[in-house]
Amino acid sequence: MTAEFLKTSQLPNFGSDDARPVEWVISEGLTPYPEAVAEMETLVAAIAAGSASERIWLVEHPPLYTAGTSARQEDLIEAERFPVFKTGRGGQFTYHGPGQRVAYVMLDLKRRRPDLRAFVGALEEWIIATLDAFNIRGERRGSDRIGVWVRRPDKGPGVEDKIAAIGIRVRRWVSFHGISINVEPDLAHYAGIVPCGIQGYGVTSLADLGWPVTMPELDAAMRVAFEEVFGETVPAGPP
């Protein structure tokens, strides 16, 4: 598939039809995965009921693998390496761990745009705009390779690595799960799985690309880019 590099202005805005800002929450330390899922489940139900605000929740997890609804057992190469969690998000196996920013995205798509394909495109757009703040050219590869990719001419002609993943679930048109961007994780930890079920491609990070970005620096860029695509945010306390 032909590579595409799409900046924010080239895709439709995914803003809400009202003026309520999205809560922006950053958790310090490592958040246990089961606790994160339980918190999302509770908040998604409240958003769907109209009793809670939309939220973006930024976390880091201890090392673990998650299996999406399309995960194939043969793609779990080292089952004993880290804990493995089955999860209701779309996609296959992925890795989470320290040095990777996970953003859980809990948005009411009824008030925005009830179109899952467009929503995934907006998430990719958010990531691309974030990377652009660090002069990294993120690219989309369509439905066969969801996520954001970077070209690696330093590794050889045509080589590409994945820098960010997307895996979502929607209930009553409220989204949860979300995206992950590799800042400085241990990339060797990906060896225990076939990431996202895609053979023949590697993974990378901002640090691997030569950008020593701190997590707060990435978070700031993510927030600016998010507001360009999805609308205003407001700081909120921890979940």
Side-chain angles (χ1 to χ4, degrees):
M1 181 173 291
T2 303
E4 300 174 75
F5 176 53
L6 301 180
K7 286 189 175 284
T8 300
S9 61
Q10 294 175 273
L11 284 175
N13 184 277
F14 220 84
S16 165
D17 61 4
D18 62 37
R20 286 180 287 177
V22 177
E23 293 182 343
W24 188 267
V25 179
I26 303 175
S27 288
E28 301 296 332
L30 300 180
T31 301
Y33 189 75
E35 291 182 14
V37 173
E39 179 63 32
M40 281 193 288
E41 292 274 357
T42 299
L43 187 58
V44 164
I47 293 171
S51 58
S53 298
E54 297 174 301
R55 176 175 292 178
I56 300 298
W57 183 20
L58 305 186
V59 305
E60 287 179 83
H61 288 304
L64 58 93
Y65 298 129
T66 64
T69 54
S70 301
R72 299 171 299 195
Q73 191 60 34
E74 60 267 28
D75 289 340
L76 181 59
I77 300 169
E78 299 180 25
E80 304 303 319
R81 187 167 189 175
F82 298 123
V84 180
F85 295 93
K86 291 185 177 180
T87 182
R89 63 159 175 81
Q92 302 189 43
F93 280 103
T94 195
Y95 166 76
H96 294 314
Q100 180 193 74
R101 175 53 86 205
V102 175
Y104 290 127
V105 181
M106 290 159 277
L107 300 178
D108 187 348
L109 302 186
K110 295 191 304 295
R111 296 194 296 110
R112 293 175 178 275
R113 186 175 172 186
D115 182 328
L116 294 184
R117 185 182 297 273
F119 179 52
V120 170
L123 294 174
E124 290 177 329
E125 177 187 1
W126 174 24
I127 297 166
I128 289 170
T130 298
L131 296 175
D132 190 49
F134 304 103
N135 295 316
I136 295 173
R137 180 182 172 113
E139 301 186 12
R140 305 148 63 90
R141 291 294 180 267
S143 59
D144 58 334
R145 282 201 274 145
I146 294 293
V148 175
W149 299 77
V150 293
R151 303 188 193 198
R152 299 302 304 271
D154 54 311
K155 292 185 175 181
V159 177
E160 298 178 342
D161 287 340
K162 191 171 189 176
I163 194 169
I166 296 173
I168 62 168
R169 186 175 181 181
V170 174
R171 180 179 298 153
R172 294 173 62 187
W173 284 112
V174 178
S175 68
F176 55 125
H177 298 279
I179 70 170
S180 62
I181 300 177
N182 289 339
V183 180
E184 195 174 5
D186 186 341
L187 296 179
H189 290 176
Y190 280 92
I193 57 172
V194 177
C196 302
I198 301 173
Q199 299 274 7
Y201 295 92
V203 291
T204 189
S205 66
L206 278 81
D208 184 50
L209 294 172
W211 287 93
V213 176
T214 67
M215 201 65 78
E217 288 171 337
L218 179 79
D219 293 345
M222 289 181 72
R223 187 170 180 179
V224 170
F226 178 88
E227 291 188 340
E228 291 175 347
V229 179
F230 293 97
E232 183 183 0
T233 63
V234 61

